[in-house]
Amino acid sequence: MQPVELVSEEGLALLERNADVILQEVGIEIRDYPSAVARFAAAGADVDGDRVRFPPGLCRQLVSTAPAIYTQHARNPARSVQVGGAATVFAPNYGSPFVHDLDAGRRYATLADFENFVRLAYLHPHLHHSGGTVCEPVDVPVSKRHLDMVYAHLHLSDKPFMGSVTAGERASDSVELARIAFGGDLADRTVMTSLINAASPLVWDATMLAAAEIYAAANQATIITPFILAGAMAPATSAGVIAQTLAEALAGMAFVQLVRPGAPVIFGSFASSMSMQTGAPTFGTPEPALVLYTVAALARRLGVPFRSGGSLTASKLPDAQAAYESAATLVPTLMAGTNFVLHAAGWLEGGLAIGYEKFVLDADQLGMMATFAAGLDLSDNGQALDAIREHTPGQHFLGTAHTLANFETAFYRSETADNSSFEQWVEDGSLDAAQRANRLWKERLAAYEPPPIDDAIDEALRDFIARRKAELPDAFA
Amino acid sequence: MQPVELVSEEGLALLERNADVILQEVGIEIRDYPSAVARFAAAGADVDGDRVRFPPGLCRQLVSTAPAIYTQHARNPARSVQVGGAATVFAPNYGSPFVHDLDAGRRYATLADFENFVRLAYLHPHLHHSGGTVCEPVDVPVSKRHLDMVYAHLHLSDKPFMGSVTAGERASDSVELARIAFGGDLADRTVMTSLINAASPLVWDATMLAAAEIYAAANQATIITPFILAGAMAPATSAGVIAQTLAEALAGMAFVQLVRPGAPVIFGSFASSMSMQTGAPTFGTPEPALVLYTVAALARRLGVPFRSGGSLTASKLPDAQAAYESAATLVPTLMAGTNFVLHAAGWLEGGLAIGYEKFVLDADQLGMMATFAAGLDLSDNGQALDAIREHTPGQHFLGTAHTLANFETAFYRSETADNSSFEQWVEDGSLDAAQRANRLWKERLAAYEPPPIDDAIDEALRDFIARRKAELPDAFA
């Protein structure tokens, strides 16, 4: 499917000029990471303390070494994904400290929840990726939970996954675990794509840069993402958000390319609107959709893969608000030609919570997106001209050979929708979509079987984790 | 906003050729309406009993007299709408025998419900149109309810509306009532846009043709709509649905132009997919969206306004299914460049019911669509370059002059979403979106005030209705 372009060539060029102005006049603050400042200075940037200003075109030139497309290899080669080009990769929710389900309501997430969501993502054909911090397992010390998370992705799933970014040493641990899982040597293969967020406005901090540096040095991919609540971390107007996003992303991607030219890097954008009453982030509104379409177009012009969107909502429940807002984010995500979609399933409450029922409902929508993206079938069978020719006006097509031949595959079959009659629906218990989803995630988890893993590799992973856990202090903050 | 084109020029031309093949080889059955057959014969079609076959290009040539754009005049001139071109008109739900609200559940609709929905549509700024049979007032005899419905549109609202189509004489009554309301003479102004459905596959019946004829003769607009459940009323494959839709619509629009060349006519398309388990219609699936985009493009090539889409769902409740499916229909409706959108608010249960809460939730989404369609603001204020220039990295934008100046208008403000913190939301009663919408429709109806109407006109309308009711038999079927 061709991506939808909403903004003219001239409009996009204007926004690129604005980003250059921002990079040149205001610049980027590189907080507490002098080696990054030094790298930028050596590349030709103007340095004034922590502030780095870029001559027009410098960042763009540095980013030109980044690949337009890369393969993220999965433990199961059949599940490796292409990132970039015409492909869209759906990955689950990321980063929520809370979890929600209809039975227990909202509560802190645990490692058991984390593992459940890794299982649910593994089981769903339209989640191409296992994600990263699907939720925060807050029952495990912060200093150690990255080990359990990466291990969960590696042994409960065989889909591609994300590494830890909350400290340089956690990124290093992620790389080590990946090395063990992939046979001791990554051989420059990219097996992780990890999330690096800016401290918007116009700041990159030491934690994120350190993680990005470790991943880039190992030829692992990073998603360089300005994270912007419009009106707070950027101006309230969309064109301002877009230019600032481009400026911040250019600087971050340039850093990655300075560490290792050619290291895979994704241009990320996360932009939400804001409630005027409370200052809270809002989702599914028109402005972030306009930003998404426009930044996607800018990423295409830059020649790098693009990440944005997802199934975002401010709702606390898997209700109509959650679904409207998620769809109003996910449809533009697809139509804009987004290559990597974090938060594609499960997100609730502005990202503070991941929902079991929401996850099931969202994943169903991802299947619909995949069918839609395949486009119109104009084959002879699709045209069905002979079927119509052989037909008498007024006759139904239900029993015809063409209908029977196409019945199984003609329409996307929703996993969660109820399409039965009102009477049948009442007889089935008058369940709403969330209640049906509640049944589904339990059925799926009950039927889950882990993918095979080599015993020696599994043991080596556990040994590494045990050793690191013994070395690391217990810290919960 | 430029409409999104999903299918290539060649693909569209292929589908047009297929429609020509269908019109030429299979033809259209004109059921029980010999005068229409005679009109087609006189225009050059081949007639064999009820079957009318069209030489390639004949229908297209006849349709060429239809206007690309027309104005539907409203009783209040400020509310007149442009149909066609870049405009999108949102009209409410149509035709449901049942009504749903959270308090009383699902029940047969009454005239009181009908009037309530006319009030709710009148009150909402993003419903541009009052609609027609918003629901079926089943407590009024079928033979008379058209009079009450048209009167409700005329005195409870001053937005444009639709006339009755269930019998020729009811269309005539609608025209008479419109004449009275618009000062005794319509002077060729178009003041009604009414819905004419095909009896797919490939049949136009006497009832619909009679109504279309009456409206066209009075220069009133009709929406010529093949109504297709794919797999039943057409082949199960989308390209087959599209070619058949084009063939049926071409024949219907050609008839309207034969009645009165230049009479405004809309190319309508209603296509749903089907549940393989039950044969029930399904909504919000990818296939109808592909049909919608494609038929919209074919209507543009034909040079007539296009109607399709809406906020469609098979759900019985205003739940997550309803919202996902509605959004998965409404977003393509907008992006495809649809000119007239029936069922834009309220639809539930495959159209069998209209929901009060659903209506409120959908209308909110229409507002979002309007904001999105306005596109990206690239004015100096929108670019916000000076605001960023004056800024130090790391500082928030919340208190800046630019943010303060744009705060009120920067983001679409949802009427129904809850964006507050979890704790605040609990304090507010832990309501879901439907429960909040339940409050809203009651508040709106309580605050409703009818638009002014000239007393003499109102009396003349009532007199006409009283006279007609006395003449007509009470019939409920």
Side-chain angles (χ1 to χ4, degrees), chain A residues 316 321 324 362 420 436, chain B residues 18 316 321 324 362 420 436:
Chain A
K316 295 26 166 209
Q321 178 186 347
Y324 274 122
D362 289 343
S420 57
R436 291 191 299 275
Chain B
N18 288 356
K316 287 60 174 178
Q321 178 185 347
Y324 274 122
D362 288 344
S420 56
R436 291 191 299 274

Side-chain angles (χ1 to χ4, degrees), chain A residues 1 4 6-7 11 14-15 18 21-22 25-27 29 31 51 106 201-203 230-240 242 244 273-278 280-287 289-290 293-294 314-321 323-327 331 335 349 358 361-362 365 368 371-372 375-378 381-385 387-389 391-398 402-403 406-408 410-413 416-423 425 430-433 436, chain B residues 1 4 6-7 11 14-15 18 21-22 25-27 29 31 51 106 201-203 230-240 242 244 273-278 280-287 289-290 293-294 314-321 323-327 331 335 349 358 361-362 365 368 371-372 375-378 381-385 387-389 391-398 402-403 406-407 410-413 416-423 425 430-433 436:
Chain A
M1 212 184 69
V4 170
L6 290 188
V7 178
L14 171 71
L15 293 163
N18 288 356
V21 169
I22 294 166
E25 295 187 18
V26 186
E29 182 183 326
R31 194 170 284 167
R51 191 81 69 93
R106 184 221 208 214
L202 301 174
V203 176
M233 286 89 112
T237 50
S238 295
I242 293 163
Q244 187 185 310
S273 50
M274 191 201 285
S275 161
M276 302 305 160
Q277 290 92 334
T278 65
T282 57
F283 299 93
T285 50
E287 297 81 11
L290 291 168
Y293 277 108
T294 311
S315 182
K316 295 26 166 209
L317 300 169
D319 66 347
Q321 178 186 347
Y324 274 122
E325 293 181 345
S326 295
V331 177
M335 301 290 286
E349 209 190 307
K358 178 72 164 32
L361 293 164
D362 289 343
Q365 295 296 309
M368 300 213 196
T371 301
F372 178 81
L376 188 67
D377 172 14
L378 285 172
N381 178 64
Q383 293 179 56
L385 195 53
I388 304 175
R389 270 189 177 125
H391 221 69
T392 307
Q395 272 188 347
H396 275 224
F397 282 77
L398 280 169
H402 184 270
T403 298
N406 285 279
F407 220 62
E408 287 296 318
F411 310 118
Y412 181 81
R413 195 182 293 210
T416 62
D418 180 287
N419 299 302
S420 57
S421 67
F422 182 81
E423 292 71 21
W425 173 76
S430 302
L431 302 183
D432 68 17
R436 291 191 299 275
Chain B
M1 212 184 69
V4 170
L6 289 188
V7 178
L14 171 71
L15 293 163
N18 288 356
V21 168
I22 294 167
E25 295 187 17
V26 186
E29 182 183 325
R31 194 170 285 169
R51 191 81 69 91
R106 185 221 208 214
L202 301 174
V203 176
M233 286 90 112
T237 51
S238 295
I242 292 163
Q244 187 185 310
S273 50
M274 190 201 284
S275 161
M276 301 305 160
Q277 290 91 334
T278 65
T282 57
F283 299 93
T285 49
E287 297 82 11
L290 291 167
Y293 278 107
T294 311
S315 182
K316 287 60 174 178
L317 300 168
D319 65 348
Q321 178 185 347
Y324 274 122
E325 293 180 345
S326 295
V331 176
M335 302 289 286
E349 208 191 307
K358 179 72 164 31
L361 293 164
D362 288 344
Q365 295 296 310
M368 300 213 196
T371 301
F372 179 80
L376 188 66
D377 172 14
L378 285 172
N381 178 64
Q383 292 178 58
L385 195 54
I388 304 175
R389 270 189 177 124
H391 222 69
T392 307
Q395 272 189 346
H396 275 223
F397 282 77
L398 280 169
H402 185 269
T403 297
N406 285 279
F407 221 62
F411 310 118
Y412 180 80
R413 195 181 294 209
T416 62
D418 180 286
N419 300 302
S420 56
S421 67
F422 182 82
E423 292 71 20
W425 173 77
S430 302
L431 302 182
D432 68 17
R436 291 191 299 274

Side-chain angles (χ1 to χ4, degrees), chain B residues 421-460:
Chain B
S421 67
F422 182 82
E423 292 71 20
Q424 183 64 46
W425 173 77
V426 169
E427 202 175 304
D428 292 344
S430 302
L431 302 182
D432 68 17
Q435 290 169 316
R436 291 191 299 274
N438 181 269
R439 286 185 181 176
L440 280 170
W441 67 258
K442 290 173 184 169
E443 288 171 13
R444 290 179 191 174
L445 286 179
Y448 167 83
E449 289 187 27
I453 187 166
D454 181 279
D455 284 344
I457 287 177
D458 194 31
E459 203 178 312

Side-chain angles (χ1 to χ4, degrees), chain B residues 207-267:
Chain B
T207 302
M208 288 287 133
L209 290 173
E213 191 166 21
I214 286 161
Y215 285 122
N219 203 35
Q220 302 306 300
T222 47
I223 312 173
I224 299 296
T225 306
F227 184 100
I228 290 178
L229 171 56
M233 286 90 112
T237 51
S238 295
V241 169
I242 292 163
Q244 187 185 310
T245 294
L246 178 56
E248 294 176 1
L250 277 169
M253 293 187 287
F255 172 71
V256 165
Q257 294 305 304
L258 285 171
V259 172
R260 177 170 173 147
V265 64
I266 300 177
F267 182 165

Side-chain angles (χ1 to χ4, degrees), chain B residues 71-81 122 128 153-161 181-182 189-191 450-454 457:
Chain B
T71 298
Q72 183 179 349
H73 296 272
R75 190 161 68 79
N76 175 350
R79 301 196 189 277
S80 296
V81 293
Y122 167 70
H128 314 108
H153 286 301
L154 283 172
H155 85 288
L156 297 177
S157 181
D158 61 4
K159 293 187 177 180
F161 71 102
F182 282 79
R189 284 178 305 176
T190 298
V191 303
I453 187 166
D454 181 279
I457 287 177

